[in-house]
Amino acid sequence: METISRISSMLETARELTLEAAQSASSAKLAKPNYPARSLTVSHIKKLLDSRNDREVLDGMRRVISLMYRSEPCLPFFSAVVKNVANSNIEVKKLVYIYLLHHAEAEPDLALLSINAIQKSLTDQNPQVRSMALRTMSGIRVPVVSQIVSLAIKRGCGDMSPHVRKAAALAIPKCYRLDPNTLPQLVGCVSTLLGDAQYFVVGPAVAAFLDVCPDRIDLIHKNYHNLVRKLVDMDEWSQLATLRLLTIYGRKCFPRKTEKVRKKVDKGFYEEEDPQDQGEETGEEVTVLDRDLELFLRACKPLLQSRNSAVILSVVRCFLYLGTTEYLESAIGPLVALVRSPQDIQHVALYNIVAVALEAPKSFARYAYHFLVHDADPPHIWRLKLEVLTVIFPYCGMHLKGVIIGELEHFARGPDVDLVKESVRAIGRCAQSDSRTGDHCLSVLLSLVTSPDEALVSESLTVIRHLIQQDPQSHKNTIIQLAKSLDTTTSPEARASIIWLVGEFASNESENGIAPDVLRILVRGFADESEITKQQIVLLGAKVYLHHLLQKYPQSEAKPPQEIKPPVEGIHNEWTDTQDQEQQEQQNGDAPEKQPEQEDNLTLLWRYILLLARYDTSYDLRDRARLYKALLADPSSTQLASLLLLAPKPVPHAPSPSETRKNLLIGSSTLVVGPEAGVHGLSGYESIPDWVESGNEPDPRLREDAAKPEPTERTLTAGERLDKALKEHGTGIAARMRQNGAPAAAAAAARKNKSLDEWLADEEEESEEESEEEETGSEEEETESEEETDSEEEEETDSEEEEEETDSEDERETQGLMAGRGPSQSGI
């Protein structure tokens, strides 16, 4: 009978293995993207789902999930799938839960039928089943079950399995979005989970805290040290949430404190140093970090080796907004290393590098070679690289500055028009930021003016104009050199820029001015010039003629013409007499004819320019000429013309293109999008809060641990445990010796406290006693000697037994230490 039963069991096992092999083969076919042409019908799949065999149900669920992920209609199977929610097979449960998460919102009434079965799974012995049931219940977006989900989360927070507690933490934001009225219960659950002992539970709890109650900073005080200790062990996404939370917490709970540095004065070799001399204050202030804040910053340093670029950016954000310069410099290297990442990560990293470089540019100077433009870089990458180079340019050495200028000059002569313009602008920003290399940058720009590329020449002249406006007196020769290049320059924008520079800075020189000669040469080809050039020629003529009038009539600028008052009636004065005389002479025709004054060359040149502009085809040019003619019509009144034409122009400044992103939060999407995100940034964007004022911060004792655990034996090293065991063993032996020899010890202590006279008196008494004992006779001595020998033998046997006991105790102690037990377990 036993043989038959064995054979039947072997056949059953073989049958199961065959069915499993066939099932795995069919599942492998289902996993292929090209599903077999003869797929099962809806009725056949329903028949598989309604079967009592778990393998057939599992096959049917796999087919339904395959159809679902191929975006084919799967709602006809909803009722058949819901029936299997109570199936004991865990593989079937997983697939049913996946189906419910996708289609419960479409069929809320049928989804409610599965709630009871899912609630029963919350008490299952398997923690995996409990966690899956909790995730599924919170993922079913049916508002009716919100209270049930809240109770399930509360039960999951006290579960013995950390995986169930993690599922409860992940379910808190879902429950809050489903029903915001459950907030009071959820806040209590969040407070419980933040103090969990497992790091993979604390991470989701922090994310739930940021979604549900980000303003409840009081919940973080008692869990602050717990979060800092578990930060390194968390997964990457939990680290991001924790870093964000603790950055905000640091601004709200740790005030910014500074103290003045004291510098000790070095004294001579033979001079005495005063120990109370603390040095002199240098006036320099350094930042003093709180102990708890420094604990958090030190815990962030290992995260700089993370493989996730977002974690590195978050650590840089913490060091920038909370730490000191030393902490920030330690994070610059890992941040620059992100430039070697793929283009999408590199793009985001460069935006953040530019934002950090605007705050601390000196730290990036030694990494300048990492930002040189490559030929394969797309436009959105090389623009940011050029911006970083111009930001860190003043803090580089002379060799690096030469390399950067050489690279920019090389790309300025390239074929890409956009890269050419950006390179020229970058050279201008370098010249503005560092005055020591301004002449070198200007010489490079002047060499680019002679290029046949019109775009390059136009952009170079624009940058040169900005540089000249900053210090016109030191660029007189530059303006003369540019005026000479008008014979070879053909670009209308370039010619207009040169003419404007000549009129702005070279027309006010009375003796050595080149503006009249330039104007005389330009008027010859006025008809062949472009409209923008003609406008600048007319403007140049107006400025030259105005300076001529100011030199010819200097008093007109000092005081305005006085108003002539009419004479008073009945009073004859010299003015009335002369007026009457002139009228009579005019009536009689005896008045002498006045000779017309001969006009000078500049006046004739100005009239000729107005005549040319009067018949030009551009109405804008004709209007401008008419305006200038009206302003300069009266030679004795040029105040308004001087105010309009000779007013000082503001000095242009070309800031970094990312200056508008300077105040945006590091590591945020709004920083990448920039001003296009709007005034308040993208949805959900929150700026970093301000530092809490000193005196308004919470009590530091709130962050102290409630109960510090005493160090157990397991926290000690093997050497420390051995030393402790030997110490306890020695103290035990000394105690037993004190118990066995207490009278002898007391006598020894008494002898130790005796004086010299007492010692001598005792020696005399002992000598007398010894003499009396010697006189007693030899018999007594023999008996005493025999008794002494017997007592000595007994003491030797007792001492041997004690040594054997101590040896056995030492052996038991060493065996206990080798077994990993503490000295308290070794039986001492």
Side-chain angles (χ1 to χ4, degrees):
M1 294 298 292
E2 293 180 358
T3 305
I4 295 173
S5 63
R6 287 181 181 178
I7 293 173
S8 61
S9 63
M10 290 172 64
L11 290 175
E12 184 65 24
T13 304
R15 179 176 176 276
E16 291 179 356
L17 291 174
T18 305
L19 290 174
E20 288 180 0
Q23 188 69 26
S24 62
S26 63
S27 63
K29 290 181 180 180
L30 286 173
K32 294 181 180 180
N34 296 326
Y35 196 79
R38 54 182 190 86
S39 58
L40 298 179
T41 61
V42 175
S43 59
H44 193 181
I45 294 176
K46 284 186 177 181
K47 185 177 180 180
L48 290 175
L49 295 174
D50 294 336
S51 176
R52 295 183 179 180
N53 190 354
D54 290 345
R55 287 193 176 89
E56 293 180 356
V57 175
L58 184 60
D59 185 18
M61 286 301 306
R62 285 175 176 171
R63 292 179 183 273
V64 171
I65 298 300
S66 176
L67 293 174
M68 183 181 69
Y69 282 110
R70 283 189 289 165
S71 300
E72 296 186 14
C74 298
L75 284 177
F77 309 108
F78 199 97
S79 58
V81 170
V82 170
K83 294 178 182 178
N84 295 298
V85 73
N87 197 306
S88 59
N89 192 342
I90 190 172
E91 298 295 332
V92 176
K93 276 183 178 293
K94 289 180 181 179
L95 298 179
V96 171
Y97 288 162
I98 292 173
Y99 182 87
L100 285 174
L101 290 174
H102 280 76
H103 296 93
E105 195 172 2
E107 293 288 343
D109 296 334
L110 292 177
L112 292 176
L113 299 176
S114 62
I115 296 299
N116 292 331
I118 296 175
Q119 279 186 299
K120 291 180 180 179
S121 300
L122 293 173
T123 58
D124 194 274
Q125 294 182 353
N126 190 351
Q128 186 179 5
V129 175
R130 298 199 301 270
S131 63
M132 285 193 307
L134 184 54
R135 290 185 181 182
T136 305
M137 184 178 292
S138 61
I140 296 177
R141 293 178 292 273
V142 180
V144 181
V145 300
S146 61
Q147 295 297 330
I148 301 176
V149 175
S150 177
L151 294 175
I153 292 172
K154 185 176 181 181
R155 180 185 297 176
C157 292
D159 198 280
M160 295 295 294
S161 174
H163 298 282
V164 180
R165 298 198 298 272
K166 178 182 178 181
L170 294 172
I172 289 174
K174 300 177 184 178
C175 182
Y176 176 70
R177 286 192 291 268
L178 190 64
D179 186 7
N181 295 326
T182 59
L183 180 61
Q185 298 90 342
L186 297 178
V187 170
C189 297
V190 170
S191 177
T192 303
L193 294 174
L194 285 174
D196 199 274
Q198 296 294 331
Y199 63 89
F200 56 87
V201 179
V202 176
V206 171
F209 174 84
L210 292 174
D211 286 341
V212 175
C213 50
D215 297 331
R216 292 290 304 274
I217 298 296
D218 56 311
L219 300 179
I220 308 298
H221 296 322
K222 60 181 179 181
N223 301 310
Y224 177 79
H225 291 160
N226 185 33
L227 294 175
V228 172
R229 285 193 296 266
K230 291 179 172 55
L231 180 61
V232 180
D233 299 325
M234 294 180 183
D235 60 283
E236 299 165 352
W237 309 112
S238 299
Q239 287 173 352
L240 291 176
T242 307
L243 288 172
R244 177 186 170 193
L245 171 63
L246 294 181
T247 303
I248 299 173
Y249 181 85
R251 280 295 189 104
K252 291 184 177 180
C253 299
F254 300 111
R256 198 68 165 175
K257 298 180 180 179
T258 57
E259 64 178 10
K260 293 185 178 180
V261 180
R262 292 183 177 271
K263 184 179 180 181
K264 290 187 176 181
V265 181
D266 295 335
K267 295 185 177 181
F269 182 77
Y270 294 101
E271 295 182 6
E272 296 182 359
E273 293 186 358
D274 188 3
Q276 298 180 354
D277 187 10
Q278 297 180 356
E280 298 179 355
E281 290 187 358
T282 59
E284 182 182 358
E285 294 185 353
V286 295
T287 304
V288 180
L289 297 179
D290 190 90
R291 182 182 61 183
D292 291 336
L293 179 58
E294 193 168 4
L295 178 66
F296 166 57
L297 295 177
R298 286 200 302 267
C300 292
K301 278 191 174 182
L303 301 184
L304 292 173
Q305 302 176 3
S306 175
R307 60 183 179 181
N308 193 331
S309 57
V311 175
I312 297 176
L313 289 179
S314 298
V315 174
V316 173
R317 177 175 58 193
C318 294
F319 289 168
L320 178 63
Y321 295 136
L322 298 179
T324 58
T325 307
E326 291 77 12
Y327 283 102
L328 184 60
E329 288 181 353
S330 65
I332 298 299
L335 180 60
V336 175
L338 298 179
V339 179
R340 299 191 295 268
S341 304
Q343 287 187 1
D344 52 348
I345 299 176
Q346 186 181 4
H347 187 206
V348 178
L350 283 172
Y351 270 115
N352 289 272
I353 288 174
V354 171
V356 178
L358 291 174
E359 298 290 340
K362 191 175 181 180
S363 303
F364 290 89
R366 61 179 182 271
Y367 300 104
Y369 286 105
H370 293 78
F371 303 107
L372 297 178
V373 180
H374 301 157
D375 293 337
D377 289 338
H380 62 275
I381 297 295
W382 55 252
R383 289 178 191 274
L384 293 171
K385 285 187 174 182
L386 291 180
E387 188 174 357
V388 175
L389 289 176
T390 56
V391 170
I392 67 176
F393 180 80
Y395 304 92
C396 297
M398 294 305 297
H399 174 69
L400 276 178
K401 290 179 180 178
V403 171
I404 293 173
I405 295 298
E407 287 288 320
L408 295 177
E409 184 180 2
H410 169 73
F411 287 108
R413 299 180 184 273
D416 191 351
V417 178
D418 294 334
L419 183 56
V420 166
K421 292 182 178 180
E422 288 295 332
S423 300
V424 173
R425 292 169 188 169
I427 294 175
R429 291 198 297 270
C430 292
Q432 290 182 2
S433 60
D434 188 9
S435 59
R436 293 177 297 176
T437 58
D439 295 337
H440 180 53
C441 295
L442 185 61
S443 62
V444 172
L445 293 172
L446 289 174
S447 65
L448 298 177
V449 173
T450 59
S451 174
D453 188 359
E454 294 185 0
L456 174 59
V457 174
S458 177
E459 195 67 35
S460 301
L461 284 172
T462 303
V463 176
I464 290 172
R465 176 168 60 85
H466 293 170
L467 295 178
I468 292 175
Q469 283 184 260
Q470 290 183 351
D471 190 9
Q473 299 299 326
S474 60
H475 291 91
K476 294 180 181 180
N477 296 329
T478 305
I479 298 174
I480 296 174
Q481 186 176 353
L482 289 175
K484 292 179 180 179
S485 65
L486 282 173
D487 296 335
T488 58
T489 305
T490 58
S491 173
E493 291 82 2
R495 293 179 65 84
S497 297
I498 295 174
I499 295 170
W500 185 88
L501 285 172
V502 172
E504 186 70 19
F505 303 110
S507 62
N508 56 355
E509 298 180 3
S510 58
E511 298 180 356
N512 301 323
I514 63 171
D517 294 331
V518 173
L519 179 62
R520 178 178 52 82
I521 295 171
L522 291 173
V523 167
R524 295 177 182 176
F526 184 84
D528 299 329
E529 298 285 353
S530 62
E531 182 180 354
I532 186 174
T533 307
K534 290 178 181 178
Q535 293 176 1
Q536 295 300 325
I537 292 174
V538 174
L539 179 60
L540 175 61
K543 291 180 179 179
V544 171
Y545 183 62
L546 177 59
H547 282 290
H548 173 66
L549 293 179
L550 292 176
Q551 293 175 6
K552 190 174 182 180
Y553 305 100
Q555 73 279 0
S556 62
E557 189 176 5
K559 50 184 178 180
Q562 296 180 358
E563 182 180 0
I564 301 175
K565 299 182 180 180
V568 182
E569 295 181 358
I571 299 177
H572 296 277
N573 49 24
E574 296 179 356
W575 185 82
T576 56
D577 295 338
T578 54
Q579 188 178 16
D580 296 338
Q581 184 178 1
E582 288 177 358
Q583 290 178 359
Q584 291 178 1
E585 290 178 355
Q586 289 178 2
Q587 291 176 1
N588 298 331
D590 297 335
E593 296 181 1
K594 292 182 179 180
Q595 297 294 332
E597 296 182 1
Q598 187 177 1
E599 294 182 345
D600 52 15
N601 294 331
L602 286 178
T603 304
L604 293 175
L605 185 61
W606 170 241
R607 292 183 183 278
Y608 181 63
I609 292 173
L610 293 177
L611 186 62
L612 291 174
R614 179 179 180 182
Y615 295 101
D616 195 83
T617 57
S618 173
Y619 63 88
D620 187 13
L621 182 62
R622 295 196 301 269
D623 292 341
R624 288 172 183 263
R626 194 177 297 113
L627 172 64
Y628 299 147
K629 181 180 179 181
L631 286 174
L632 302 173
D634 187 3
S636 62
S637 177
T638 56
Q639 290 88 354
L640 183 58
S642 300
L643 182 62
L644 293 178
L645 297 178
L646 303 182
K649 309 299 187 297
V651 178
H653 178 69
S656 181
S658 295
E659 284 288 340
T660 56
R661 295 183 171 92
K662 189 174 182 179
N663 297 324
L664 297 178
L665 185 64
I666 301 295
S668 61
S669 301
T670 305
L671 177 66
V672 179
V673 178
E676 298 177 0
V679 179
H680 303 289
L682 298 176
S683 178
Y685 172 77
E686 293 182 2
S687 182
I688 192 74
D690 296 331
W691 289 97
V692 63
E693 296 182 1
S694 182
N696 296 334
E697 72 274 10
D699 191 354
R701 290 176 293 181
L702 296 174
R703 291 187 291 271
E704 295 179 358
D705 296 336
K708 295 183 180 180
E710 296 182 358
T712 59
E713 296 296 334
R714 279 181 275 180
T715 60
L716 301 176
T717 62
E720 291 174 349
R721 290 200 300 267
L722 183 59
D723 294 339
K724 186 176 181 180
L726 292 175
K727 185 177 180 180
E728 292 181 356
H729 177 64
T731 54
I733 293 176
R736 286 195 298 272
M737 291 178 65
R738 285 195 298 270
Q739 292 176 1
N740 296 332
R751 287 195 302 269
K752 185 176 180 181
N753 296 327
K754 287 183 179 180
S755 62
L756 181 60
D757 297 333
E758 292 175 351
W759 276 102
L760 293 175
D762 291 340
E763 288 179 357
E764 290 177 356
E765 291 176 359
E766 289 177 358
S767 61
E768 292 176 355
E769 290 177 357
E770 288 176 359
S771 61
E772 290 176 357
E773 289 175 357
E774 288 176 359
E775 292 175 357
T776 55
S778 60
E779 293 179 356
E780 293 179 358
E781 289 179 356
E782 291 175 357
T783 57
E784 288 176 358
S785 62
E786 289 175 357
E787 290 177 357
E788 288 176 359
T789 54
D790 293 336
S791 63
E792 288 176 358
E793 290 176 358
E794 290 177 358
E795 289 177 359
E796 288 177 359
T797 56
D798 293 336
S799 63
E800 289 176 358
E801 290 178 358
E802 289 178 358
E803 289 177 358
E804 289 177 358
E805 289 178 358
T806 55
D807 292 337
S808 62
E809 288 175 355
D810 292 339
E811 290 177 358
R812 288 196 300 270
E813 178 69 17
T814 54
Q815 290 177 2
L817 292 173
M818 293 296 292
R821 297 176 297 174
S824 60
Q825 297 173 350
S826 60
I828 297 176

